[in-house]
Amino acid sequence: ELAPRGHFVTCVQASDEDSSDAGRLRYSILSGNDHMNFVMNNNRGIITLSNHRKQRMDPVYNLNVSVSDGIFTSTAQVHIRVLGANLYSPVFSSNLYVVDLRETSAIGSKVTQAIATDGDSGDYGNIKYHIVNDFARNRFSIDSSG
């Protein structure tokens, strides 16, 4: 999803049994490229990201492509799966958590909850909490909910 414009996606290759037509093969995208996210090299069948692509792409594209020798045409489908990107950092709901804790609190008592959110979807939007301070890590624990 963060690949630069002009990034190689795939190459479609065809052959023609008429040896005289081998250099005449012309490739094109027929459909499935409504937002012009992809461009195909007409001579080589290479599909790359276009200069028109949007920042957030759909997760899947199904392109219908063709090759022609000037007389006959053949078509095929190209299925492109876009891998997500980690665009956002997690953000805590507060920059400072102040807690009053009784010395007589039972072990395992809930002290506070630190909540963070992440604007990414899928795996990149999952948040894992860790205590980074050695002193605190040996005295407190944190679970998956913060």
Side-chain angles (χ1 to χ4, degrees):
E1 192 169 59
L2 291 179
R5 290 170 170 87
H7 184 79
F8 175 86
V9 175
T10 192
C11 181
V12 177
Q13 294 182 324
S15 61
D16 192 319
E17 290 189 33
D18 297 324
S19 58
S20 61
D21 290 338
R24 293 186 192 160
L25 298 179
R26 297 294 175 255
Y27 299 88
S28 63
I29 298 174
L30 299 174
S31 64
N33 195 24
D34 299 336
H35 297 290
M36 303 298 290
N37 289 316
F38 306 97
V39 65
M40 182 178 232
N41 179 294
N42 293 340
N43 297 318
R44 300 178 60 201
I46 296 172
I47 298 174
T48 58
L49 290 176
S50 76
N51 291 331
H52 303 292
R53 78 172 182 91
K54 56 186 179 180
Q55 181 66 22
R56 282 279 189 187
M57 297 183 74
D58 294 336
V60 175
Y61 291 89
N62 295 308
L63 304 181
N64 291 310
V65 299
S66 72
V67 63
S68 176
D69 63 6
I71 297 173
F72 297 105
T73 300
S74 182
T75 62
Q77 287 191 338
V78 177
H79 301 282
I80 300 170
R81 186 170 53 101
V82 178
L83 303 176
N86 193 356
L87 299 173
Y88 303 100
S89 296
V91 177
F92 281 102
S93 59
S94 177
N95 291 329
L96 177 66
Y97 293 87
V98 178
V99 176
D100 292 322
L101 178 64
R102 294 187 122 134
E103 285 185 27
T104 58
S105 296
I107 294 175
S109 296
K110 182 175 182 176
V111 175
T112 191
Q113 186 173 15
I115 298 180
T117 58
D118 190 314
D120 290 306
S121 59
D123 288 340
Y124 292 122
N126 293 335
I127 296 174
K128 295 181 179 111
Y129 296 92
H130 302 279
I131 298 173
V132 295
N133 177 287
D134 289 335
F135 179 80
R137 188 179 327 124
N138 294 331
R139 288 161 180 81
F140 297 96
S141 63
I142 193 164
D143 63 18
S144 62
S145 64

